Amino acid sequence: MRITGEQRRQRLVVRQLALGVDGPREPAATTPEEVTRRLVALHATDAPSVHLAVLARAPGLGLDDVRDALFERRSLVKVLGMRRTMFVVPRDMVPVVHAAASTDVARRLRTRLLKELATLPTDPPVADPESLLAAAQEQVHAALVEHGPLDGAQLSRAAPLLRTAFLPTTDKAWDVRRTMTSPLLSVLSAEGAVVRGEPRGAWSSPRHVWSPMTDWFPDGIPALDEDAARTELARAWLEAFGPATVADLKWWTGWNLGQARRAVAALDVREVEVEAGPPGGDAVVADGVMLRSTDLDVDLDPALDDVVAGHAALLPTLDPTTMGWTARDWYLGPHRPQLFDSAGNAGATVWWQGRVVGLWVVRPDGDVAWRLLEDVGADGEAAVADEAARLGALLAGSTFTPGYTTPAYREMLAG
């Protein structure tokens, strides 16, 4: 069975983008939790992306709705998981992501930090890296219990061992003195000891606070078998992102190929061919899989043609859909150089009918501006303009600077 690029793009719109519309499987998403669950996880490395990803998909929601889910209800939780990336996941998925991805990340991060403490020059010198990390972790825990949520700077004052510094070993501009604060907090986050909380100041601020994970899970994150958790995470991902290749799953999770294959083998899947070439280009076919329970006829119902044909979206930096697959030509086309930075991070993108067609920015005056990279016709331009106006009204003059920008983005922002 072959899944065409057009069919994949229609399912992308139905399953991931037009979530404010009643679908064939589920009603319209009306909460940030519902939006997040249908995407498995939202990228949270760049602070504004979580809010913007929700607003792009559920027209009835605003910035405060996302904040309440994150920090009042705590039904969405920030975790350091797949690919050593910060994500937001539904509360009941935290144990799955923790066992399937975070624990392995934590082991690698702790090993690396111990190696750096043992081999790099530090101030003060470190005689026993294991003892230092144990003592620093205890200081962090004590400081958070005593003072409540603290940001990194506050923590480094309350837990002085965090100020242990790695010294430069070269004359390179990037090789500067750096403290242990950030790497240790990454270790503790991946281990499930601390959780990233609300930002200081504006909703888009990158200056966030940390709290003990026990503030979210009083008994700690429930323990799951790692193999079983990987199988469950693969199932959830294929439900949202399939049909797709095992290579796509491997990339998204950060697993090795053996782990990805074992997770898929434990599921009831069928092998398919997926077209992976750019829209309108030569057919490029790859071996893929899809859950046997997936009924493509439901998602590809002709009754949904109008939804797909008229759908425009402005997705943020590192959006979960833009970053959902490693093979992206079938929805990205020729626009990778303009819309991704050199490290593979996606900038803010304009979508039309399930494919990327441009980029957008919020200028310093709060204006939402957009630029198309291909002709989408009068209807497409009108739909993009309407979506930009809707998003601008929700932001109400609020401005922010993404953490990841491309030359095209910077050029447009300056213009």
Side-chain angles (χ1 to χ4, degrees):
M1 179 180 183
R2 176 177 292 191
I3 315 299
T4 69
E6 182 177 357
Q7 290 174 322
R8 296 184 79 187
R9 289 186 290 274
Q10 173 154 337
R11 191 167 196 267
L12 182 154
V13 172
V14 171
R15 298 291 295 167
Q16 296 205 18
L17 299 183
L19 301 187
V21 178
D22 287 335
R25 295 170 181 261
E26 299 170 289
T30 58
T31 67
E33 293 88 344
E34 290 172 355
V35 171
T36 306
R37 184 171 303 283
R38 296 190 196 183
L39 295 163
V40 185
L42 306 179
H43 276 261
T45 303
D46 202 24
S49 292
V50 175
H51 296 71
L52 295 172
V54 172
L55 268 53
R57 292 169 167 86
L61 298 176
L63 296 173
D64 287 342
D65 296 305
V66 182
R67 180 200 171 276
D68 289 347
L70 285 166
F71 308 120
E72 295 297 331
R73 295 192 296 276
R74 294 181 176 176
S75 49
L76 296 178
V77 185
K78 293 187 178 184
V79 295
L80 190 67
M82 295 73 72
R83 304 191 315 280
R84 204 183 67 193
T85 297
M86 187 65 67
F87 284 92
V88 161
V89 301
R91 183 182 179 87
D92 64 337
M93 281 294 290
V94 171
V96 174
V97 171
H98 183 71
S102 301
T103 52
D104 194 41
V105 169
R107 287 189 287 263
R108 294 198 301 269
L109 290 178
R110 181 172 283 273
T111 297
R112 186 174 72 179
L113 182 53
L114 285 169
K115 181 179 179 180
E116 289 181 339
L117 287 168
T119 60
L120 296 179
T122 61
D123 178 23
V126 175
D128 186 343
E130 290 274 6
S131 296
L132 175 71
L133 281 194
Q137 182 169 343
E138 180 56 36
Q139 285 188 356
V140 169
H141 178 74
L144 293 177
V145 169
E146 180 179 356
H147 301 290
L150 299 173
D151 62 33
Q154 293 169 325
L155 261 175
S156 67
R157 291 192 292 270
L161 285 177
L162 290 179
R163 299 199 293 272
T164 302
F166 297 101
L167 303 179
T169 58
T170 71
D171 59 359
K172 303 295 185 182
W174 49 263
D175 190 6
V176 298
R177 180 187 177 99
R178 56 188 176 90
T179 71
M180 197 172 66
T181 302
S182 180
L184 182 55
L185 287 175
S186 293
V187 170
L188 298 181
S189 178
E191 290 178 344
V194 299
V195 60
R196 183 182 288 191
E198 191 164 10
R200 297 288 196 198
W203 64 275
S204 57
S205 170
R207 186 186 172 202
H208 49 266
V209 299
W210 296 93
S211 298
M213 183 61 81
T214 49
D215 285 0
W216 267 252
F217 291 86
D219 298 323
I221 298 173
L224 299 179
D225 174 78
E226 291 186 18
D227 286 337
R230 279 192 281 267
T231 298
E232 174 56 23
L233 187 59
R235 185 208 61 76
W237 184 85
L238 279 172
E239 177 68 26
F241 293 87
T245 69
V246 174
D248 289 324
L249 174 65
K250 171 185 176 293
W251 176 84
W252 187 86
T253 56
W255 298 335
N256 60 45
L257 186 57
Q259 290 171 326
R261 285 174 171 167
R262 285 193 296 274
V264 170
L267 296 169
D268 186 14
V269 300
R270 60 184 300 185
E271 296 182 356
V272 296
E273 293 180 332
V274 292
E275 291 187 2
D282 295 335
V284 177
V285 180
D287 293 331
V289 293
M290 59 184 275
L291 295 174
R292 198 173 294 277
S293 60
T294 297
D295 187 345
L296 285 178
D297 290 338
V298 173
D299 292 328
L300 304 179
D301 191 319
L304 298 169
D305 287 350
D306 288 345
V307 173
V308 178
H311 188 270
L314 272 62
L315 301 188
T317 300
L318 299 177
D319 185 84
T321 296
T322 316
M323 299 290 290
W325 301 262
T326 187
R328 301 168 178 143
D329 287 351
W330 58 277
Y331 60 90
L332 182 58
H335 306 312
R336 186 186 300 264
Q338 297 100 317
L339 300 176
F340 281 73
D341 67 16
S342 59
N345 299 302
T349 51
V350 174
W351 291 65
W352 173 243
Q353 298 177 339
R355 69 183 193 276
V356 176
V357 297
L359 66 153
W360 64 279
V361 302
V362 176
R363 293 201 165 112
D365 62 0
D367 179 46
V368 176
W370 47 276
R371 176 189 296 171
L372 295 176
L373 300 175
E374 61 182 76
D375 183 6
V376 298
D379 289 345
E381 288 199 29
V384 171
D386 288 345
E387 182 63 11
R390 183 187 73 84
L391 180 59
L394 289 172
L395 296 179
S398 176
T399 62
F400 56 88
T401 301
Y404 301 89
T405 61
T406 64
Y409 182 98
R410 292 190 291 273
E411 174 189 335
M412 189 175 175
L413 188 63

